[in-house]
Amino acid sequence: MKAMILAAGRGERMRPLTDHTPKPLLPVAGKPLIQYHIENLARASVRELVINHAHLGEQIEAWLGDGAQFGVSIRYSPEAEALETGGGIYRALPLLGEAPFLVVNGDVWCDFDPSCLQLAGGDLAQLLMVANPDHHPGGDFHLQAGRLDDQGSPKLTFSGIGLYRPALFEGCRAGRFPLAPLLRNAMAQGRVAGAEHHGRWIDVGTPQRLQELERKLTG
């Protein structure tokens, strides 16, 4: 299985930290945030990685190189301007191949096991869900009996980690577009599964949450 790490975001809420450093390279407990993802994937024998980038992307390539130092192989999908999640994944599809692939948001930290996600039957996606954090109390999607929908309640929060079939993107066109409408359409067809993660997860979207993660990893 291949995996894609989304690393093209500008990180506006992290400014001024991201004015000169791309958010995935911000240090946490002595190493860049994105390195935790790479090491976690390598431990699970997911060794073929694709990383997209836009803002200061040359720094990401310079730091990570071809991935050999981490025991993985990294290919890059550069974007002249960030294409949002959907557009970024769609652009990278030729690098990801025809089999289901894992996608991880570069600005989250999570101790999940990649093997916990498994696509079944005609499902187009399986999303890893977490308890709603304080900054997102309403959640995103309803999980019941392993299935996700957009209408039920209570809702859990999408972790930013999911397993997808390339067919989810059929009919899309190159350019900037979000992922959520594609997922909601697939949910309406009953083709999206979900799994709840009960371990540690944090959306590292602000300097305050970056400091919180630093405390958790060093405390």
Side-chain angles (χ1 to χ4, degrees), residues 7-10 17 25 39 44 46 48 62 76 87 94 97 99 107-108 113 133 147 160 162 171 187 198 210:
R10 175 65 176 79
L17 298 177
L25 292 186
E39 292 173 348
V46 180
E48 293 185 72
Y76 296 95
D107 58 358
V108 302
D113 178 356
R147 313 304 300 174
M187 286 177 196
H198 297 284
L210 183 68

Side-chain angles (χ1 to χ4, degrees), residues 44-188:
S45 297
V46 180
R47 304 189 185 279
E48 293 185 72
L49 310 184
V50 175
I51 299 175
N52 71 334
H53 61 69
H55 173 64
L56 302 176
E58 67 281 357
Q59 292 187 29
I60 295 175
E61 292 201 25
W63 182 272
L64 301 178
D66 63 4
Q69 61 180 316
F70 306 107
V72 299
S73 172
I74 298 176
R75 301 177 72 182
Y76 296 95
S77 179
E79 301 170 11
E81 61 175 355
L83 298 175
E84 295 193 50
T85 302
I89 297 173
Y90 182 78
R91 178 182 174 85
L93 285 179
L95 301 176
L96 292 166
E98 299 180 358
F101 55 86
L102 184 69
V103 175
V104 181
N105 280 8
D107 58 358
V108 302
W109 184 94
C110 187
D111 60 357
F112 81 109
D113 178 356
S115 67
C116 74
L117 295 176
Q118 299 286 338
L119 280 177
D123 284 348
L124 292 174
Q126 185 182 28
L127 309 184
L128 191 69
M129 308 300 292
V130 296
N132 299 331
D134 292 341
H135 62 271
H136 190 58
D140 297 305
F141 306 119
H142 176 60
L143 176 64
Q144 184 173 9
R147 313 304 300 174
L148 286 173
D149 70 77
D150 190 35
Q151 304 299 322
S153 63
K155 290 181 168 64
L156 294 172
T157 291
F158 175 37
S159 68
I161 299 166
L163 187 62
Y164 306 104
R165 292 190 197 277
L168 178 67
F169 298 86
E170 285 183 0
C172 293
R173 296 183 178 181
R176 179 184 175 93
F177 62 89
L179 177 64
L182 302 182
L183 292 173
R184 291 190 173 97
N185 182 60
M187 286 177 196

